[in-house]
Amino acid sequence: MSMPLICETVTANDLTTLRARRDGCRAADLVELRLDGLVDLDVGGALAGRRQPVIVTCRPQWEGGRFDGSEEERRRFLRAALDAGAEYVDVEWRSDFSELLDVRRGRGIVLSTHDFKAGVPSDLEARVAAMRATGAEIVKVAITASRLADCVPLLDCRRVVDGPLVLVAMGRAGIPTRVLAARFGSCWMYAGDAAPGQLSAERLLNDFRFRSLTGDSAVYGVTGRPLEHTLSPAMHNAAFASLALEAAYVPLEAADADDFMKFAAAVGVVGASITAPFKEELFRRVVTWDPESRRAGAINTVRRHGEGWAGTNTDIAGFLAPLRRRFDVSNTRCAIVGAGGAARAVAIALATEGGHVTVHARDVQKAETVAALVGGRGLALPPPPGSWDLLVNATPVGTFPRVEETPVAAHLLTGGFVCDLVYNPLDTRLLTEARAAGCGTLGGLEMLVAQAVLQCEWWTGQRPSATLLGEAALGALGVPPNGSHTSIDACPRGRVSREASGS
Ligand code: NAP
């Protein structure tokens, strides 16, 4: 099968804007001109002077579009587009426009169906077969994924019918059907911001290496919920590109661990990063771990192991790598704020280095459970002033967009060094206030990069450049490449290693 194309969807309220947007689609192979929504709808004007092949669509309100005129008007517009030589015209399966299929014996017709109700339509395969039987050149099926596994029946459609298909699941859980268009058997994928979960052509090309993916590319991803702000695809796709690997890394936003497992089995995912809230649940589902992950009772990475999965936790070494350069943990009092998956990894890391760990959480029982992993104490929030040398925030408090929040008030920051696992923003309120209080500080970005480097190496046997991954992460955060990205204080108080001189 040939490689899928990129079709950029353009919408506008007026013809001048639609044409300008059409002509701005330089990365796409074809452009979908959405005539619905135009106040001055003119088919000839929309097509005139086009530089790329187009699909003309006039989506009615009853199929999720903006056209509120009569069906007869709509039919006339689409017929005019065919007569004017439009390469493709989109005809809804539920419309009564069968005569349009006869104009070119189905050639140039995209017969489409869109389901906005979350879930998989019960008649999916029968519908696809019936649509194919009309003779339309392209059959397009868009469903709304309520969970990752809703993408799986789309894979099966390919077995039911031959010929060109576009199979897409809308919504964030459906993103794999867009990035992995080649695997799902789509002849093109729509790009833009006209539908939930749609990605821009630039993101498909630059972040996800759309043009280098085939149906056989190895599939990796990050699973968790929500994944809106994850930087992992930017880092890992940059790593795969630099290592010349034919592999994709995709956000796999799952409803729960079962949902991820079902999708991964059907699509053949070979490795994944695990983020909240699945780090402990998936630990219980893998068949083998390394001793440190086993001790943590949490994993952040899986790879295929026979019929099951092997797990590891690169957060442990990833947390220590940048910290070791700045702070000597041995024999210090270490207070961890939070008792989730990351706190477990941090607790193991600090105990391994000889730190005396306390864990502080709003649920003291959870704090006790994590502290027990390393023979430490579980206590309430906040860590009392004077009780710690190193404080680690392992909660999401302070993450974008709630950047005004902090897990520990400024007047309680009395120790020597503060780490914040939060990486967006790079410099959190906690870190700013810690520096003002005389503490050394370390933000979450370096750990993020270090754990991602280790993940890539564990999956592929090849170590990517940390600098490259850091730049990819900063790019995804929208930070200019030459800015100052560390949050290291020049003269931190406490037991800071002599090696600490910035990075
Ligand atoms: P998690 O498993 O969901 O745990 C979150 C912890 O934070 C839980 O103990 C939770 O308490 C606590 N928490 C949440 N909101 C809180 C609030 N408003 N006040 C007090 N405690 C609160 O998440 P995780 O995987 O451990 O990740 C935690 C943070 O670390 C996230 O921001 C994540 O992005 C970051 N992280 C960064 C890196 C890195 O490489 N830089 C790596 C891993 C994680 P409850 O159990 O009571 O809800």
Side-chain angles (χ1 to χ4, degrees):
M1 205 184 107
S2 54
M3 302 278 278
L5 306 175
I6 292 182
C7 173
E8 196 157 353
T9 300
V10 293
T11 58
N13 294 330
D14 61 81
L15 192 61
T16 308
T17 310
L18 188 81
R19 284 170 56 120
R21 289 183 181 158
R22 176 196 76 184
D23 295 341
C25 294
R26 296 186 203 292
D29 303 293
L30 66 164
V31 179
E32 181 185 37
L33 292 173
R34 287 285 294 263
L35 302 186
D36 52 303
L38 290 181
V39 290
D40 49 354
L41 202 162
D42 165 13
V43 174
L47 291 172
R50 67 189 186 279
R51 298 184 199 121
Q52 284 150 303
V54 294
I55 303 170
V56 173
T57 299
C58 186
R59 190 78 71 226
Q61 287 181 335
W62 53 259
E63 185 91 352
R66 292 168 71 194
F67 188 80
D68 60 359
S70 71
E71 283 297 272
E72 182 44 34
E73 271 180 291
R74 213 164 67 78
R75 194 195 60 74
R76 272 206 313 275
F77 289 134
L78 295 177
R79 174 69 201 238
L82 281 173
D83 291 345
E87 285 73 14
Y88 294 97
V89 164
D90 184 300
V91 174
E92 295 78 13
W93 162 241
R94 290 193 291 153
S95 72
D96 192 18
F97 294 165
S98 52
E99 86 275 12
L100 292 177
L101 279 149
D102 299 332
V103 176
R104 297 186 201 155
R105 293 208 202 131
R107 203 165 44 78
I109 298 295
V110 179
L111 192 64
S112 66
T113 171
H114 302 80
D115 279 79
F116 293 94
K117 189 166 162 266
V120 183
S122 55
D123 65 341
L124 182 67
E125 287 188 9
R127 196 189 306 182
V128 174
M131 290 170 79
R132 173 53 79 224
T134 63
E137 181 178 339
I138 313 282
V139 168
K140 173 191 177 190
V141 176
I143 65 163
T144 299
S146 64
R147 52 199 290 120
L148 205 48
D150 285 348
C151 302
V152 173
L154 291 177
L155 270 180
D156 299 333
C157 289
R158 170 56 59 199
R159 286 206 299 268
V160 181
V161 296
D162 295 324
L165 293 171
V166 178
L167 301 166
V168 58
M170 296 182 282
R172 287 215 301 270
I175 286 176
T177 63
R178 298 182 185 277
V179 176
L180 305 175
R183 173 71 61 105
F184 279 80
S186 289
C187 60
W188 63 63
M189 189 40 61
Y190 292 85
D193 58 4
Q198 215 175 49
L199 303 166
S200 68
E202 286 71 22
R203 278 207 74 197
L204 278 176
L205 289 168
N206 302 334
D207 293 1
F208 293 105
R209 306 165 65 224
F210 189 82
R211 296 227 194 270
S212 67
L213 302 180
T214 69
D216 296 325
S217 300
V219 179
Y220 296 85
V222 51
T223 192
R225 191 186 70 249
L227 293 177
E228 233 171 332
H229 301 293
T230 177
L231 304 184
S232 295
M235 290 192 295
H236 285 293
N237 283 313
F240 292 164
S242 74
L243 300 170
L245 296 172
E246 195 196 315
Y249 186 98
V250 194
L252 304 172
E253 185 163 310
D256 47 44
D258 274 338
D259 190 27
F260 165 71
M261 293 282 193
K262 189 169 174 197
F263 175 90
V267 174
V269 173
V270 291
S273 312
I274 315 295
T275 186
F278 302 148
K279 286 179 175 175
E280 292 156 65
E281 164 88 39
L282 279 168
F283 167 80
R284 292 189 284 272
R285 308 285 291 271
V286 301
V287 293
T288 171
W289 326 257
D290 54 77
E292 279 192 326
S293 314
R294 187 173 196 145
R295 191 173 171 203
I299 51 171
N300 76 335
T301 321
V302 290
R303 71 179 177 205
R304 279 267 159 220
H305 183 85
E307 292 298 299
W309 296 94
T312 190
N313 197 325
T314 66
D315 279 343
I316 299 170
F319 169 73
L320 279 179
L323 181 65
R324 271 197 195 118
R325 294 196 288 270
R326 289 149 179 132
F327 189 84
D328 179 2
V329 172
S330 91
N331 247 341
T332 59
R333 297 165 302 162
C334 306
I336 302 169
V337 177
R344 285 172 174 261
V346 169
I348 301 297
L350 294 173
T352 309
E353 294 286 290
H356 305 292
V357 172
T358 54
V359 180
H360 303 258
R362 55 187 176 186
D363 180 335
V364 175
Q365 242 180 347
K366 287 185 186 169
E368 283 169 350
T369 304
V370 176
L373 298 171
V374 293
R377 283 186 304 149
L379 300 164
L381 281 171
S387 70
W388 52 271
D389 305 304
L390 169 70
L391 181 135
V392 181
N393 175 34
T395 77
V397 179
T399 301
F400 177 85
R402 297 167 72 169
V403 296
E404 72 291 350
E405 296 183 357
T406 183
V408 181
H411 69 279
L412 302 174
L413 298 171
T414 56
F417 202 92
V418 174
C419 292
D420 199 339
L421 265 49
V422 172
Y423 48 80
N424 182 14
L426 297 175
D427 206 14
T428 57
R429 178 174 163 191
L430 173 67
L431 294 179
T432 310
E433 292 181 345
R435 278 197 302 280
C439 304
T441 59
L442 173 61
L445 186 74
E446 286 184 62
M447 170 183 175
L448 185 76
V449 169
Q451 62 80 32
V453 166
L454 294 169
Q455 286 181 322
C456 183
E457 191 175 13
W458 193 64
W459 290 325
T460 68
Q462 299 187 65
R463 181 177 280 242
S465 145
T467 307
L468 178 90
L469 267 62
E471 283 168 4
L474 289 170
L477 282 171
V479 177
N482 294 323
S484 171
H485 312 310
T486 61
S487 48
I488 314 303
D489 185 75
C491 186
R493 195 170 62 204
R495 301 188 51 210
V496 177
S497 151
R498 289 193 184 282
E499 290 166 55
S501 56
S503 60

